[in-house]
Amino acid sequence: MSKIRTNHVFTSESVSEGHPDKVCDQISDAVLDACLNEDPESRVACETLTTTDLVVISGEITTRATVNFDRVARNTIRDIGYTDNAIGFSATDCKVFICIHRQSGDISQGVTEGAGAFREQGAGDQGMMFGYASDETPELMPAPILYAHKIVEQLARLRKDDPDTYDFLRPDAKSQVSVEYSAGRPVRIRSVVVSHQHTESMPDGALGSLVRDVVADVIPAELRKGEIEFFINPTGRFVIGGPHGDTGLTGRKIIVDTYGGVGSHGGGAFSGKDASKVDRSAAYMCRYIAKNIVAAELAEKCEIQAAYAIGVAKPLSVNVDTYGTGKVGEDDLQRIIEAGEIFDMTPKGIIDALDLKNPRRGGWRYRNTAAYGHFGRQPFPWEKTDRVDDLRQALG
């Protein structure tokens, strides 16, 4: 059983929607959305690369949808804010190469219900997936990654909503938040790092003042007690950025996407993958289970692991770790999960429970997940806490 370190400092980072890797994640997920909008049965594994003046979209896609991949990429880039070719990358002038083929038939037969060695829809790949929740924030997320996300998200919102005031901001940015813990609970922010792309003409001190205002807006007052150490553009200059400054790839920010280094990670990326890929869908389900356990006050912290074999429906294993904070036994929680009556962890059960083939019906898009974290934000269906009563009842 894992134990909680009681007094320590933990740090997590986030990156903005204009970070080159996140540009790729958003294009890949925008492609997925475009396919699902016309054909919910689409099989999508879309990877994107960006660099100076170039976007390459590749992968395996089987769909009945008619998708203009070039338009999807340019619209996504434009929404992010890359509209000026003078900075080396823009929606209008970048070259877009499309290198897409159909999903392998060997994989398809294992994932299609009734077509493979087993009658049920099988997992789209082998591997292990994790989900985590903690009661240290209202969102049941670790504090360092939650507030790192909120900082860059708010900076992007200001850049887009008030371009006249914040015309010195460009889309690429990173944040980092160090949180001091005492007795296992977050007590204050130790330091904040923000590196934000800017224009040549940014006024002296403008970014530092803005970041301090944003921190005051998005981080609770009780965590801002004492002196916070700020590092704002620590190199002194960040004019060259985005895909012009650094090549981007889909799936390279898996820790930013999840829990900021808290808990475990199975290694699989999310963006550009439809829900038949358990790398994505089972990680969402594990978060859903962990969050409901914590919301039911059965544990202060909870991590769920599931493991799958390609073509096989049921998980090979399920593991529950409450880090010594459980109000009930981990064996009891595991028994309830494995029974499958509250949480069906087969690929079809996950897809149905979270409605992963029809995101628009739930008022969200996969592209919305591709920046500022896949967890801790509404209206993603894996963030619901609608199984709390079922869990309590099952435990008597």
Side-chain angles (χ1 to χ4, degrees):
M1 180 184 294
S2 302
K3 300 297 182 184
I4 302 172
R5 287 191 63 199
T6 55
N7 300 300
H8 65 285
V9 176
F10 198 89
T11 301
S12 296
E13 73 158 348
S14 180
V15 298
S16 74
E17 63 201 66
H19 185 281
D21 293 331
K22 281 289 142 200
V23 173
C24 294
D25 285 345
Q26 289 168 94
I27 292 172
S28 293
D29 269 340
V31 167
L32 173 60
D33 286 327
C35 293
L36 293 177
N37 287 346
E38 293 185 32
D39 178 13
E41 302 301 321
S42 297
R43 298 278 170 76
V44 179
C46 180
E47 310 279 352
T48 303
L49 175 147
T50 61
T51 187
T52 303
D53 197 33
L54 177 66
V55 175
V56 179
I57 300 174
S58 63
E60 301 79 49
I61 297 178
T62 302
T63 184
R64 294 176 304 220
T66 301
V67 178
N68 186 326
F69 297 101
D70 183 279
R71 183 184 303 160
V72 168
R74 293 184 192 278
N75 286 344
T76 303
I77 294 164
R78 187 175 296 107
D79 289 346
I80 293 168
Y82 286 111
T83 56
D84 181 3
N85 200 50
I87 64 174
F89 187 75
S90 77
T92 302
D93 295 322
C94 68
K95 297 181 287 291
V96 179
F97 292 163
I98 312 298
C99 309
I100 288 171
H101 58 276
R102 291 175 62 84
Q103 182 184 54
S104 159
D106 295 346
I107 295 174
S108 178
Q109 74 173 29
V111 178
T112 301
E113 190 171 0
F118 301 91
R119 188 172 65 180
E120 294 179 273
Q121 175 182 339
D125 203 351
Q126 70 176 48
M128 63 281 190
M129 300 84 206
F130 292 88
Y132 179 87
S134 167
D135 69 356
E136 64 191 72
T137 62
E139 295 86 351
L140 303 188
M141 285 288 289
I145 187 65
L146 180 73
Y147 297 122
H149 284 324
K150 286 181 179 291
I151 289 169
V152 283
E153 186 175 21
Q154 176 69 352
L155 287 166
R157 187 178 296 116
L158 293 171
R159 171 176 60 84
K160 291 179 169 183
D161 292 348
D162 193 354
D164 292 334
T165 302
Y166 303 107
D167 60 351
F168 55 88
L169 295 180
R170 284 176 171 165
D172 193 1
K174 283 186 171 185
S175 66
Q176 187 170 287
V177 174
S178 298
V179 178
E180 184 177 318
Y181 286 77
S182 178
R185 311 298 297 181
V187 293
R188 76 179 190 94
I189 305 298
R190 173 77 66 85
S191 64
V192 172
V193 182
V194 173
S195 295
H196 206 301
Q197 186 185 15
H198 59 88
T199 65
E200 291 274 11
S201 58
M202 181 177 71
D204 291 342
L207 183 59
S209 175
L210 175 59
V211 169
R212 285 171 170 81
D213 288 344
V214 166
V215 166
D217 286 342
V218 303
I219 295 179
E222 61 267 24
L223 294 181
R224 289 186 278 110
K225 58 189 177 186
E227 184 177 351
I228 299 174
E229 195 170 15
F230 284 90
F231 298 89
I232 312 299
N233 278 6
T235 70
R237 176 182 167 89
F238 188 5
V239 172
I240 299 171
H244 181 46
D246 186 14
T247 296
L249 294 169
T250 297
R252 203 159 58 176
K253 286 291 177 284
I254 59 174
I255 300 303
V256 172
D257 284 344
T258 52
Y259 308 101
V262 175
S264 308
H265 199 296
F270 298 155
S271 289
K273 298 178 181 178
D274 74 272
S276 71
K277 281 75 174 172
V278 285
D279 273 349
R280 183 172 210 164
S281 55
Y284 289 171
M285 190 65 166
C286 288
R287 161 66 176 175
Y288 179 50
I289 297 170
K291 187 174 183 181
N292 274 269
I293 288 171
V294 173
E297 299 181 349
L298 303 175
E300 296 173 15
K301 302 176 187 292
C302 182
E303 180 178 87
I304 305 293
Q305 184 206 47
Y308 291 83
I310 188 167
V312 179
K314 291 187 177 181
L316 305 183
S317 67
V318 174
N319 185 64
V320 182
D321 189 348
T322 58
Y323 296 85
T325 71
K327 310 301 190 296
V328 297
E330 290 168 343
D331 290 344
D332 292 330
L333 291 170
Q334 185 165 323
R335 172 181 52 80
I336 289 168
I337 295 167
E338 289 179 334
E341 295 179 4
I342 299 176
F343 304 105
D344 184 346
M345 298 191 72
T346 65
K348 184 178 187 304
I350 295 170
I351 290 167
D352 290 346
L354 303 180
D355 205 12
L356 297 179
K357 289 183 179 179
N358 297 282
R360 286 197 302 177
R361 190 158 62 193
W364 61 282
R365 296 181 299 166
Y366 279 102
R367 188 190 146 189
N368 298 145
T369 69
Y372 312 119
H374 291 247
F375 305 118
R377 299 192 294 138
Q378 301 294 348
F380 304 148
W382 48 91
E383 293 299 314
K384 298 181 296 185
T385 53
D386 57 346
R387 308 317 298 265
V388 165
D389 291 340
D390 294 330
L391 283 166
R392 289 173 175 164
Q393 185 174 355
L395 287 161

